[in-house]
Amino acid sequence: MIGKRILLSIALFSLLIVSSCKEDDGGNDPMIDRTANLQATGDSANDLLSDTTYTSLALEIVSVRGFELRPSSVQNLTTFLNARINKPGGIRIVQRSIDAPQNEDYSLQQIANIERDQRQIYNSEDEIAVYLFMANRKSEEDTDPDSFTLGAAYRNTSFVLFGSVIQDLGTSNNGVSTAQIESATLNHEFAHLLGLVDLGSPMVEDHLDEENGQHCDVPNCLMNFQITFTSGAMNMMGSTIPELDPLCIADLQANGGK
Ligand SMILES: [Zn+2]
Ligand SMILES: [Zn+2]
């Protein structure tokens, strides 16, 4: 997402956290304490990167049927994470498909409601849990007909990919494959949860793109804001998936990563 939007979404979700706390904490299942998974984006960066509190990671992926991730994207993410986070107990991926919860574009509130209804895995003693929703429609905040949001990291352990937007790129045929865009978006949004840029993992050296907040000013870095939009992603990608530049990697290493 671009700066304004990410700021907006963080602000809105702060409100949601406050207003929904009671309901979520009491919840349908009083045995589950969801509090630790209802914090702001970047708040769990150190817990995800280091093995101080959590020695393993669970990634729960809930996809609207027909919008499941490609196996290659899941594999690329696992490789990306294994190179950067300290989880000696490993990474566990749990995937499930559901019927479309709605057939209209998604508001942030609706995405949060779906998480409340569908998410099954929360932090446990030594395992930190992350939740991903693969949506069948775009964000309702997209108003520019030429540029759509590909994904959003909206809480400390929650993110969404707009699968329909990613799939539509396959038909636009600009020399960049849908598989590449999907994989890059997946890694990019997860890297926000790891605290990039200056979102929970403090910068070792200044490389913040101030105009497009929480992104990296190094061209072609995975965390450059260009990648978050269809047209920008097209411009950035040749035949490979963008990687983190040394400045982003240094931030992760300084916050418990590797
Ligand atoms: Zn981003
Ligand atoms: Zn970077």
Side-chain angles (χ1 to χ4, degrees):
M1 312 183 82
I2 60 168
K4 278 175 196 153
R5 284 186 184 159
I6 199 165
L7 290 177
L8 180 67
S9 64
I10 289 167
L12 285 175
F13 271 91
S14 302
L15 292 176
L16 285 179
I17 288 163
V18 172
S19 63
S20 65
C21 250
K22 249 188 187 151
E23 188 186 357
D24 278 337
D25 289 350
N28 302 329
D29 184 348
M31 299 302 287
I32 300 175
D33 181 5
R34 295 173 169 86
T35 317
N37 297 94
L38 292 173
Q39 309 302 313
T41 309
D43 279 5
S44 289
N46 180 263
D47 282 341
L48 287 164
L49 288 163
S50 77
D51 61 357
T52 310
T53 307
Y54 301 103
T55 52
S56 61
L57 166 73
L59 173 60
E60 178 181 5
I61 305 171
V62 175
S63 307
V64 176
R65 224 175 296 287
F67 296 88
E68 292 85 357
L69 287 168
R70 288 162 175 72
S72 60
S73 298
V74 177
Q75 183 55 51
N76 287 346
L77 176 69
T78 306
T79 304
F80 171 74
L81 291 175
N82 276 324
R84 303 270 73 97
I85 70 177
N86 282 301
K87 295 295 169 216
I91 297 170
R92 178 167 75 98
I93 311 267
V94 180
Q95 301 196 63
R96 188 168 85 253
S97 300
I98 60 171
D99 294 333
Q102 63 187 56
N103 287 305
E104 57 194 58
D105 295 347
Y106 284 96
S107 69
L108 292 168
Q109 181 67 61
Q110 287 165 333
I111 289 166
N113 290 347
I114 291 163
E115 176 177 1
R116 186 195 58 207
D117 295 343
Q118 295 292 340
R119 182 169 181 168
Q120 294 175 353
I121 307 177
Y122 293 85
N123 295 0
S124 58
E125 201 172 334
D126 51 13
E127 182 182 70
I128 189 165
V130 171
Y131 161 90
L132 165 63
F133 177 54
M134 294 296 300
N136 56 315
R137 296 287 298 245
K138 65 183 174 67
S139 164
E140 71 166 21
E141 288 182 57
D142 279 331
T143 46
D144 179 348
D146 296 322
S147 209
F148 296 108
T149 307
L150 297 171
Y154 62 92
R155 275 180 186 150
N156 60 325
T157 63
S158 311
F159 66 122
V160 55
L161 260 55
F162 297 101
S164 59
V165 177
I166 293 169
Q167 282 194 0
D168 287 348
L169 290 174
T171 56
S172 61
N173 205 7
N174 280 309
V176 178
S177 71
T178 307
Q180 276 177 277
I181 303 266
E182 179 181 279
S183 185
T185 306
L186 183 64
N187 288 6
H188 176 96
E189 297 304 336
F190 205 108
H192 279 311
L193 301 183
L194 300 180
L196 294 175
V197 173
D198 204 24
L199 187 68
S201 288
M203 289 187 291
V204 175
E205 241 179 88
D206 186 10
H207 59 110
L208 182 65
D209 177 354
E210 291 186 16
E211 255 178 57
N212 304 292
Q214 275 62 63
H215 288 107
C216 175
D217 65 8
V218 176
N220 296 321
C221 172
L222 177 68
M223 296 316 288
N224 191 285
F225 88 101
Q226 287 258 6
I227 204 174
T228 64
F229 280 95
T230 48
S231 52
M234 293 295 189
N235 291 337
M236 269 181 75
M237 274 184 251
S239 57
T240 57
I241 295 156
E243 296 181 2
L244 292 176
D245 80 298
L247 295 177
C248 280
I249 291 174
D251 296 349
L252 300 184
Q253 289 173 339
N255 195 26
K258 62 187 183 188

